[in-house]
Amino acid sequence: MNMPDFEYHAPETLQEACALLAELGRNATVLAGGTDVLHKMKTGKLASGHLVSLKRLGELRNIRSKSGHGIVIGALTRHNEIYNSPLLQELFLSLPMAAHTMASNQICNLGTLGGNIVNGVPSADLPPILIALKACIRLVSAQGERSMALEDFFCGAAQTRIVPGEILADTTIPEQSTTGSTYIKFGLRRSGALAVAGVAVSVTVDKNILREARIVLASSAPTVMRARNAEGFLRGKKISGKLLAEAGAMAAAESRPRDSIRGSAEYRRNLVEVLTKRALRKAIDKGHI
Ligand SMILES: Cc1cc2nc3c(=O)[nH]c(=O)nc-3n(C[C@H](O)[C@H](O)[C@H](O)COP(=O)(O)OP(=O)(O)OC[C@H]3O[C@@H](n4cnc5c(N)ncnc54)[C@H](O)[C@@H]3O)c2cc1C
């Protein structure tokens, strides 16, 4: 496997990177940790004349609390930095826990949150829990910037609403009334395996009533998806084992999985049913967000 020729650029600021991408046009690819880009180039799935590395953009590699807004995570933050962040462990533990389910230590030392999101693959582990936590993203280009809910970013298998020249700058998890959240993933190995199916859940519970539940499925449709029928069914209801089991069955019914080497569609649907029930129970009982 030989790397094709390309020109390497390492701008020093976000502004410089945006200007460079605008100048190079469609022949340029953004490079973050490179765990996907370099693999695709080596295997001939991606040809790019210019790689624009973000590695010098320290401004995108941090996790900070923004008063009144929640937590902002720079796109260049690596999976191990999410896992080890005291701030996230204190405020949104379900996110470091999701990062802990990912890949090998080597990949987690290189792979970034931005790359995990922009890849747009339905098996990515961080988008489901971020969507459950109502995260928004900020996209920056030479033309300016725009923000959107992360759940609106994905529009098809490996397709997102990012346009050439844009850089994902950061992701914000807002302050919220959520009382519990979790992400449960089923892989073919205990760790370091892609999700055959995954379910992220956030709940708002008040006196044993589910005021709100967000259920987000990974590897269960062409995009990461919310199980909105199950969410609507749960709203305002008294919590019981039967209720959670019914919600699991509804989430499975609205999932749209495919057959793949890691599991059949039917197997995935069964997983969604079981994992949704378990994730709801865990988020309700353990309460960690
Ligand atoms: C062996 C192996 C195991 C893996 N296991 C898992 C797993 O368990 N769970 C999981 O979710 N993923 C897994 N992955 C996938 C991958 O590592 C992650 O998705 C990772 O987060 C990608 O980040 P990166 O920084 O390496 O992205 P890169 O490879 O640098 O980029 C990926 C894509 O995103 C674009 N991009 C990156 N950053 C930005 C940005 N800030 N703005 C605009 N565009 C950007 C690139 O142009 C490219 O299209 C695995 C990969 C490998 C090779």
Side-chain angles (χ1 to χ4, degrees):
M1 289 189 288
N2 288 328
M3 277 299 268
D5 288 342
F6 61 87
E7 223 173 291
Y8 177 78
H9 308 263
E12 303 276 349
T13 64
L14 182 54
Q15 209 184 1
E16 248 183 65
C18 289
L20 196 56
L21 287 174
E23 183 193 321
L24 296 170
R26 287 182 179 271
N27 199 17
T29 298
V30 169
L31 179 74
T35 58
D36 285 294
V37 167
L38 298 180
H39 182 259
K40 280 186 184 152
M41 287 183 78
K42 272 190 183 168
T43 51
K45 289 182 191 140
L46 173 73
S48 191
H50 299 267
L51 291 188
V52 177
S53 168
L54 305 183
K55 78 171 189 183
R56 293 195 180 150
L57 310 190
E59 60 198 291
L60 299 190
R61 193 173 166 197
N62 52 36
I63 302 170
R64 61 188 194 281
S65 167
K66 196 170 165 194
S67 172
H69 289 269
I71 300 290
V72 183
I73 309 173
L76 272 197
T77 306
R78 294 168 184 171
H79 307 322
N80 271 345
E81 290 166 338
I82 289 175
Y83 174 54
N84 289 313
S85 161
L87 195 57
L88 289 176
Q89 285 175 5
E90 186 195 332
L91 294 174
F92 296 110
L93 180 61
S94 50
L95 185 63
M97 283 171 59
H100 192 47
T101 71
M102 293 172 71
S104 61
N105 209 26
Q106 290 94 322
I107 297 288
C108 287
N109 276 330
L110 284 171
T112 63
L113 173 60
N116 198 239
I117 292 173
V118 176
N119 259 337
V121 296
S123 59
D125 286 308
L126 299 179
I129 188 65
L130 285 167
I131 292 171
L133 294 172
K134 304 176 187 168
C136 288
I137 54 170
R138 189 167 65 98
L139 297 157
V140 179
S141 73
Q143 277 74 47
E145 66 174 65
R146 60 188 180 122
S147 297
M148 68 172 80
L150 178 58
E151 68 178 276
D152 295 333
F153 184 60
F154 304 106
C155 51
Q159 283 173 2
T160 70
R161 299 196 194 282
I162 201 163
V163 297
E166 275 188 322
I167 293 175
L168 171 61
D170 48 48
T171 300
T172 300
I173 309 175
E175 285 175 5
Q176 49 201 287
S177 54
T178 301
T179 55
S181 66
T182 196
Y183 174 62
I184 305 184
K185 159 181 174 175
F186 181 86
L188 294 180
R189 294 187 302 273
R190 188 178 282 267
S191 71
L194 290 174
V196 178
V199 178
V201 153
S202 74
V203 293
T204 308
V205 177
D206 177 25
K207 298 192 185 84
N208 211 31
I209 302 292
L210 259 173
R211 295 290 167 212
E212 191 188 7
R214 284 166 74 95
I215 300 170
V216 189
L217 311 180
S219 267
S220 306
T223 62
V224 175
M225 66 166 275
R226 278 179 69 188
R228 288 181 186 272
N229 295 344
E231 291 177 1
F233 166 75
L234 288 170
R235 196 167 304 127
K237 296 224 169 79
K238 192 173 169 200
I239 296 164
S240 70
K242 185 168 173 280
L243 183 81
L244 304 189
E246 280 174 9
M250 287 182 87
E254 62 189 300
S255 67
R256 288 175 288 130
R258 68 183 179 105
D259 295 316
S260 87
I261 195 165
R262 289 200 299 280
S264 66
E266 191 193 354
Y267 185 51
R268 285 192 157 97
R269 230 175 256 114
N270 286 336
L271 282 171
V272 168
E273 179 167 353
V274 173
L275 296 183
T276 300
K277 188 175 66 172
R278 278 189 201 160
L280 284 164
R281 177 48 76 195
K282 201 166 160 192
I284 291 165
D285 289 351
K286 289 219 167 175
H288 50 62
I289 58 170

